[in-house]
Amino acid sequence: MHGPSPKVSVSHGCVIASSFRPHPLLRNAHVQTIYPTLMRPLPPLEVRRERLELADGDFVDLGWSGNTQGTGPLAILLHGLTGGFESKYLRGTAGQLIARGWRTVALQLRGSGPDTNRLPRCYNHGDTEDFHTLCRVLREREPGTPLFAVGWSMGANILLKALGENGDTSLLTAAAAACAPFQLQACAERLRRGFPRVYQRHLINGLGAILRRKHGPVPLLPRADLQAALSAKDFFAFDDAYTAPMNGYPDAIGYYTQASSGQFLKGVRRPTLVINAVDDPFMVPSILPAATELAPAVTLELPQHGGHLGFIAAGAGGRPKYWLEERVSEFLFEAHAAAQVGRAG
């Protein structure tokens, strides 16, 4: 396996190559991206739901998995843009952690589940408030439990932004993030061109379904244009018409500028592994941070292949093996062990 994570320099983090090798029949970035969605069976996971009421009168839903005794390390799981409790990468990672005696709690972001949230505000790449709230609630409930977190895609952006915002006050022991869109405007531009427009259309359709459920029970804010959002051909139009006005951003560009996680990486103070494929079709390689843009606590691992939330390797007998889930889990296990040694010392 990988062994301990490499030590970082005093002044900044590090960028490392990866041992990931794609399945020989699934090397293409688009195949890596699409195969899990179409071909992977839903990983089994027992999810116990809890509705967490929030101070502003809204709610988020939590999905608990693992032992019911309230013992062992706890990992918070943050899904991607149109994901949730059924996301395969989330369930697969939860299974890896639970097999080692951990517990997991998936945060179904505000408005992303089947039940419409109550307020106009909705989840977005920059909304870290509900994640911060959950961390505080968990710490109050279980003062002695080590807290960890994993985020994918939009969830990775939220997690990294939250870590940078909290710095030394973070309640987490360590974290891992995958396929983080470090610069949202560049990612939105990439999704306007070529085959990635297929992904863009799929995601916008998913968001449109959420909007149709939500309005009219929940009124629009004055600058929002529901019809323009539902007919949007790209994320710039969608976010201009809906995401920005519903969440207090001036426009799509302002939203992308304020919410992008890349600018928060220097503020991270907890051991954090970030894994992004160089060939991720949702992004362009130019957005990948240099080591000097990372805090000393951050390691950026860059497989050359893997697509977006793919990272499918060849397992026994040539069967697909979901490498990302093993790598993230392994990192968290090592970080937990290192923290225990540190406390004992």
Side-chain angles (χ1 to χ4, degrees), residues 23-74:
H23 193 293
L25 301 180
L26 305 171
R27 288 180 59 85
N28 179 272
H30 297 300
V31 174
Q32 284 275 331
T33 301
I34 295 169
Y35 183 94
T37 300
L38 297 182
M39 303 303 294
R40 184 184 188 183
L42 186 69
L45 184 69
E46 180 183 347
V47 178
R48 303 180 297 277
R49 299 184 181 229
E50 175 190 355
R51 178 147 295 178
L52 180 63
E53 296 289 339
L54 303 171
D56 62 5
D58 215 332
F59 68 89
V60 291
D61 287 334
L62 309 178
W64 291 86
S65 299
N67 75 70
T68 59
Q69 304 305 311
T71 60
L74 177 60

Side-chain angles (χ1 to χ4, degrees), residues 138-139 141-147 343:
L138 296 175
R139 175 54 66 237
R141 291 182 183 179
E142 303 183 25
T145 296
L147 298 179
R343 283 193 292 270

